[in-house]
């Protein structure tokens, strides 16, 4: 008589969301909300530094301002989406992955834009470069937070619970 054990793993996933748009100011008190606001402010300050310079028309300034304004608008729109729970209403869209890729890309673009601005001898560009490097760190932190959330299987808003259950069954067989 021989015996063997068979193991089956059952995974159940439950997503709980409230599918209506509502204003919730609590997001700005969370770490991702604070990081998003800091990035928005740094984008705007860097943009203003370049724009108030007499040399804002130079390619280095134009590139920096393009990076700053695209980051400002994307982060601003995402902040509004989180404040009004748009991400929760459309929870099937992979918001965290979208933000992860954007933030990682923007950290790299800010490294390039700030380095190009810092290499000039224009003081306003060098000031913008400082804020660009700070924004690079902010987007890097945000990308790291999104990476951890994606890896944990979370969704942008709402909650997702995963239950893993293992069942073992012993089977005996008779051999003649």
């Amino acid at each position: 008589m021989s015996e063997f054990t068979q193991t089956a793993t059952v995974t159940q996933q439950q997503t709980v969301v409230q599918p209506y748009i509502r204003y919730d100011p609590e997001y700005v008190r969370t770490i991702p909300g604070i990081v998003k606001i800091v990035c928005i402010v740094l984008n705007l300050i860097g943009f203003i530094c370049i724009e108030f310079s007499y040399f804002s028309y130079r390619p280095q300034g134009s590139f920096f301002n393009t990076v700053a304004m695209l980051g400002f608008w994307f982060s601003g729109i995402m902040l509004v989406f989180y404040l009004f729970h748009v991400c929760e209403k459309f929870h099937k869209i992979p918001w965290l992955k979208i933000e992860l890729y954007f933030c990682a890309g923007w950290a790299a673009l800010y490294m390039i834009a700030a380095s190009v601005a810092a290499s000039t001898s224009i003081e306003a560009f060098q000031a913008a470069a400082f804020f660009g490097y700070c924004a690079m760190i902010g987007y890097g932190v945000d990308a790291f937070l999104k990476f951890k959330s994606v890896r944990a299987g979370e969704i942008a808003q709402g909650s997702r619970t995963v239950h893993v259950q293992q069942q073992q069954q012993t089977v005996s067989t008779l051999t003649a």
Side-chain angles (χ1 to χ4, degrees):
M1 184 156 102
S2 64
E3 291 185 5
F4 65 92
T5 304
Q6 184 178 14
T7 304
T9 303
V10 178
T11 304
Q12 294 177 335
Q13 181 173 309
Q14 180 182 11
T15 303
V16 179
V17 294
Q18 296 178 2
Y20 54 90
I21 294 177
R22 64 196 183 283
Y23 177 68
D24 181 15
E26 291 300 313
Y27 178 73
V28 297
R29 291 179 179 88
T30 65
I31 292 174
I34 292 168
V35 170
K36 197 171 299 312
I37 290 170
V38 166
C39 287
I40 290 169
V41 170
L42 291 170
N43 284 320
L44 192 58
I45 293 172
F47 176 80
I48 290 170
C49 286
I50 297 289
E51 276 305 303
F52 282 119
S53 167
Y54 179 74
F55 301 102
S56 64
Y57 62 89
R58 294 184 67 178
Q60 299 95 330
S62 296
F63 177 62
F64 187 94
N65 277 349
T66 300
V67 171
M69 278 296 98
L70 288 174
F72 174 82
W73 285 108
F74 181 84
S75 297
I77 290 169
M78 289 307 297
L79 178 64
V80 170
F81 280 8
Y82 280 109
L83 284 174
F84 287 95
H85 287 262
V86 174
C87 295
E88 187 173 7
K89 179 170 179 62
F90 301 105
H91 67 277
K92 297 217 184 265
I93 296 173
W95 295 108
L96 292 176
K97 284 185 181 179
I98 292 168
E99 281 192 281
L100 168 63
Y101 297 139
F102 177 84
C103 290
W106 239 246
L109 281 173
Y110 253 122
M111 184 178 66
I112 295 166
S115 297
V116 168
S119 69
T120 66
S121 60
I122 303 166
E123 290 176 0
F125 281 34
Q126 292 173 350
F130 170 76
F131 293 109
Y133 286 126
C134 291
M136 175 194 72
I137 292 168
Y139 280 114
V141 167
D142 205 10
F144 176 72
L145 293 173
K146 300 303 184 246
F147 174 76
K148 283 178 42 178
S149 295
V150 167
R151 193 169 220 190
E154 297 175 9
I155 58 175
Q157 284 182 315
S159 65
R160 176 176 287 165
T161 56
V162 178
H163 300 288
V164 178
Q165 184 179 26
Q166 289 190 350
Q167 298 174 341
Q168 288 188 349
Q169 180 179 9
T170 305
V171 179
S172 300
T173 57
L174 289 173
T175 54

